[in-house]
Amino acid sequence: MLVHRGIESPTQATKFLNPKLDHLHDPSLMLGIDRTVRRIFKARDNGEYVLIYGDYDVDGITSTVVLKRALEMINVKVDFHIPRRLEDGYGLKLHLIKEAHSRGVSLIITTDSGIREFEVCNAARELGLDLIVTDHHLPDKTLPKAYAIVNPLQPNCDYPDSNLSAVGVVFKLVQAIFREIGNEKVVHHFLKLVAIGTIADLVPLVGENRVFARLGLEGLSNPRNLGLKILLEELCLSTQIQSSDIGFKVAPRINAVTRMGGGREIVDLFSVLEEETARKIVAEMNNKNVRRRRIEQAILEELKEQISREPKLIERKVLVFVGENWHRGVIGIVASRIVDLYYRPTLIFSLENNSIQGSGRSIPGFHFLDALNSCRDAFEKFGGHAQAVGCTLQSPNLESKIKIIEEGLENYGKRILVEDMLIPSLSIDAILPIQKLSFSLLHEIQCLAPFGVGNPLPVFASRKARLVSGPFLIKDTHLKIQIGSEDRPLEAIWWQNGSVAKKLESVDRIDLAYTLSNEVYRGSSKLLLTIQDIK
């Protein structure tokens, strides 16, 4: 499994299995960091007001919290702004930059945005405002004229790890700040939030990201931050927090706040000192997450109904849908659901008040940002990366612009996507006899954690496994079977695939692919196979 992950020597294996802070690269290797550090200390020494201009997803929010706390610790006068997803949309807004300048702000530092903000950066220069961009998104062919740019993807930056999330880039800046004052050892306190942002943003969990994720997850078992502690308590997360807990429990609740119209309060959660205030914020996060799910499901059902009426829609290489007043905070998640169902790159637009906001999700091999570039003249603004993009369009001629985008994306898809790329594949780490499955094997697998993009949870396959009992249905939705032998049956569950039960009623043996986990019930542990596919 290590070799499958590109690790081919004992030295590499030792480093991979035992991530440490001293495995991190020198932050000064990242272009723009040293210039940024000097400007921050100048702002502190001159008593200047600094504004952090964040972003509204988990990566942007954790970036803002980490940078804000770091600047406060070195006595910089700092405030922050989180754009409201539904009102402001993605990116820097000129009127907010001007407003900050009128309030006496002389230095603005972006997190998770800014790399394509040419107009705003030019305006900031004309105002005499220093604007520093920290970002991890792909730049355009040229760079905006900011005071400094900190982004490992920018030209002429030779930083050894280009896979960082926005909060990873901010962490490198924070590392350089505290090294400047000879107190770099304090940076490990930030790793809990860095891990949350890194895992939530689906960047590859290799290299520095693996260090952030492993050490940060370990730290989350004993958080000192009151807001973070209460959030984890409410989610019943205490010890041995996994990357999947961040992806499926923590991140959706943070995102729900901004998806449903909030913003600043989610940063406040990690600053509050009163337990009652923190619990109120967390309770509201849960409420917004429930509403988000309800709205998301309604749009998804509407789209599935449209596809059932027009089945030829999904014969296209790239799916594009437009809805009137669809909630803009959830169209990105709905795009992900459509990709899961039909395995096509999907772009979903919401039309509201003579403007359109879009969000897209992709499949492996289809670079969505490059695809948008192929019809860039139709957009007012767009950005993102290979797997996820956002865009806006303005009146007039919205219908014709949508048509240009549909045709442009379809033509791009026809050039890039061959038929095999439109069939989802499942990578198997090893084929194992059922009798080889054990807790000692599971323990070895867990040494590879945390799992995510670039380091997937290992999938195994067993051929001609004996069906001992079942199939059974759980809540009329999920499939449950027992395989192996009478004296040592192993439980296997296939979530959301109860419809397969009928096919297994007259079957003695099956080939199956699965992941392994430890299920604890009433104090006792047993191996659980989570089925990925059955043949």
Side-chain angles (χ1 to χ4, degrees):
M1 287 188 284
L2 287 167
V3 172
H4 288 172
R5 285 154 180 75
I7 298 156
E8 299 180 338
S9 74
T11 303
Q12 288 177 305
T14 301
K15 197 171 179 179
F16 184 85
L17 296 172
N18 302 282
K20 296 176 182 176
L21 268 179
D22 60 14
H23 293 165
L24 299 178
H25 305 297
D26 179 351
S28 291
L29 295 173
M30 193 177 296
L31 186 64
I33 273 193
D34 288 344
R35 179 171 168 81
T36 298
V37 170
R38 290 193 295 270
R39 183 64 184 90
I40 286 170
F41 279 102
K42 179 184 174 185
R44 182 197 67 176
D45 296 342
N46 293 342
E48 297 177 59
Y49 286 95
V50 178
L51 177 71
I52 300 169
Y53 198 118
D55 188 34
Y56 45 63
D57 67 1
V58 179
D59 193 21
I61 287 166
T62 51
S63 301
T64 301
V65 174
V66 168
L67 185 56
K68 174 176 174 285
R69 181 63 187 131
L71 296 186
E72 287 171 342
M73 288 170 69
I74 61 168
N75 299 314
V76 172
K77 296 175 183 177
V78 62
D79 197 3
F80 69 93
H81 173 75
I82 296 292
R84 290 190 171 265
R85 190 187 290 254
L86 304 183
E87 297 166 19
D88 301 327
Y90 177 75
L92 311 184
K93 293 294 174 280
L94 185 55
H95 71 277
L96 294 172
I97 300 296
K98 290 179 176 177
E99 181 189 308
H101 178 256
S102 69
R103 290 189 283 113
V105 170
S106 55
L107 174 60
I108 295 178
I109 306 175
T110 75
T111 64
D112 202 18
S113 61
I115 198 62
R116 289 172 173 246
E117 299 286 357
F118 300 95
E119 181 187 356
V120 173
C121 285
N122 288 338
R125 285 167 68 90
E126 290 171 9
L127 289 168
L129 236 174
D130 287 342
L131 193 150
I132 294 171
V133 170
T134 76
D135 202 349
H136 74 129
H137 292 102
L138 286 166
D140 211 331
K141 292 175 183 176
T142 58
L143 295 175
K145 293 179 180 177
Y147 179 88
I149 294 175
V150 182
N151 181 337
L153 297 177
Q154 67 178 303
N156 303 317
C157 181
D158 298 323
Y159 193 69
D161 195 333
S162 61
N163 291 317
L164 301 183
S165 62
V167 74
V169 173
V170 164
F171 180 84
K172 301 306 297 186
L173 174 57
V174 169
Q175 192 182 357
I177 288 170
F178 283 100
R179 187 177 64 176
E180 183 71 15
I181 59 174
N183 196 16
E184 196 174 341
K185 63 182 181 181
V186 305
V187 299
H188 76 273
H189 293 299
F190 295 101
L191 287 174
K192 294 179 279 292
L193 285 169
V194 175
I196 291 172
T198 296
I199 293 166
D201 214 54
L202 301 179
V203 291
L205 295 186
V206 296
E208 290 195 307
N209 290 334
R210 178 170 174 80
V211 177
F212 300 152
R214 170 74 80 85
L215 300 185
L217 288 172
E218 289 173 359
L220 284 171
S221 62
N222 184 29
R224 297 182 183 181
N225 181 285
L226 177 64
L228 182 56
K229 183 178 181 181
I230 288 171
L231 174 60
L232 296 177
E233 279 179 8
E234 289 292 323
L235 297 174
C236 300
L237 297 174
S238 52
T239 57
Q240 293 186 325
I241 296 173
Q242 308 294 319
S243 54
S244 57
D245 295 322
I246 303 300
F248 293 108
K249 295 180 180 179
V250 177
R253 280 160 179 81
I254 295 175
N255 267 329
V257 175
T258 59
R259 290 189 189 283
M260 305 311 295
R264 191 178 181 95
E265 63 269 39
I266 194 64
V267 176
D268 291 338
L269 173 66
F270 301 110
S271 304
V272 295
L273 301 175
E274 302 80 26
E275 183 174 336
E276 185 181 353
T277 305
R279 292 199 182 279
K280 280 182 181 176
I281 295 174
V282 171
E284 186 56 26
M285 290 170 73
N286 287 329
N287 292 337
K288 285 179 173 169
N289 194 46
V290 170
R291 282 170 47 214
R292 185 268 304 169
R293 282 186 193 158
R294 201 176 297 133
I295 293 167
E296 172 196 324
Q297 190 61 33
I299 297 172
L300 182 59
E301 292 303 321
E302 190 176 334
L303 281 170
K304 286 161 74 174
E305 190 178 324
Q306 181 183 344
I307 291 166
S308 69
R309 291 195 311 268
E310 305 173 66
K312 287 196 171 182
L313 281 174
I314 56 170
E315 292 177 10
R316 296 175 65 90
K317 300 286 188 182
V318 182
L319 307 183
V320 178
F321 300 97
V322 184
E324 196 163 337
N325 295 318
W326 280 345
H327 197 295
R328 287 175 290 151
V330 304
I331 55 175
I333 312 177
V334 177
S336 293
R337 301 287 180 265
I338 294 294
V339 172
D340 291 342
L341 287 169
Y342 304 106
Y343 210 68
R344 296 287 192 281
T346 301
L347 182 60
I348 296 182
F349 288 109
S350 175
L351 171 62
E352 187 179 324
N353 298 330
N354 296 318
S355 71
I356 286 180
Q357 187 166 313
S359 191
R361 298 294 183 269
S362 194
I363 60 174
F366 185 86
H367 197 296
F368 222 142
L369 187 59
D370 286 350
L372 295 192
N373 256 318
S374 71
C375 45
R376 62 183 302 147
D377 292 344
F379 298 104
E380 180 202 22
K381 183 185 287 190
F382 68 94
H385 41 79
Q387 292 297 301
V389 293
C391 55
T392 55
L393 297 88
Q394 295 286 354
S395 293
N397 305 322
L398 287 176
E399 277 190 36
S400 64
K401 287 175 181 175
I402 290 288
K403 190 160 186 62
I404 290 168
I405 291 165
E406 281 182 323
E407 291 175 357
L409 292 180
E410 186 66 11
N411 290 334
Y412 185 89
K414 285 176 179 175
R415 290 198 309 272
I416 300 298
L417 295 169
V418 297
E419 285 308 310
D420 280 358
M421 294 170 69
L422 297 173
I423 302 170
S425 62
L426 182 63
S427 296
I428 307 297
D429 280 84
I431 295 174
L432 297 175
I434 286 294
Q435 60 268 27
K436 292 283 186 182
L437 304 184
S438 65
F439 277 106
S440 62
L441 172 63
L442 178 60
H443 176 71
E444 283 194 60
I445 293 166
Q446 288 169 340
C447 292
L448 300 175
F451 300 110
V453 177
N455 181 35
L457 181 64
V459 177
F460 302 103
S462 296
R463 298 193 186 280
K464 295 188 165 83
R466 186 181 167 210
L467 196 60
V468 176
S469 65
F472 309 106
L473 279 177
I474 305 174
K475 297 181 180 178
D476 295 323
T477 305
H478 315 295
L479 173 73
K480 177 180 171 182
I481 56 175
Q482 285 190 328
I483 59 169
S485 60
E486 299 284 357
D487 60 331
R488 189 175 173 262
L490 295 173
E491 192 167 288
I493 293 180
W494 200 0
W495 304 109
Q496 306 295 330
N497 276 277
S499 59
V500 178
K502 228 173 182 35
K503 297 179 182 178
L504 297 181
E505 286 175 353
S506 58
V507 172
D508 293 318
R509 293 185 180 272
I510 56 173
D511 294 349
L512 76 164
Y514 51 87
T515 59
L516 277 178
S517 61
N518 177 26
E519 185 181 44
V520 180
Y521 183 67
R522 292 182 177 176
S524 63
S525 296
K526 63 179 179 181
L527 281 177
L528 175 68
L529 281 63
T530 300
I531 299 172
Q532 304 299 306
D533 204 356
I534 286 178
K535 185 179 180 182

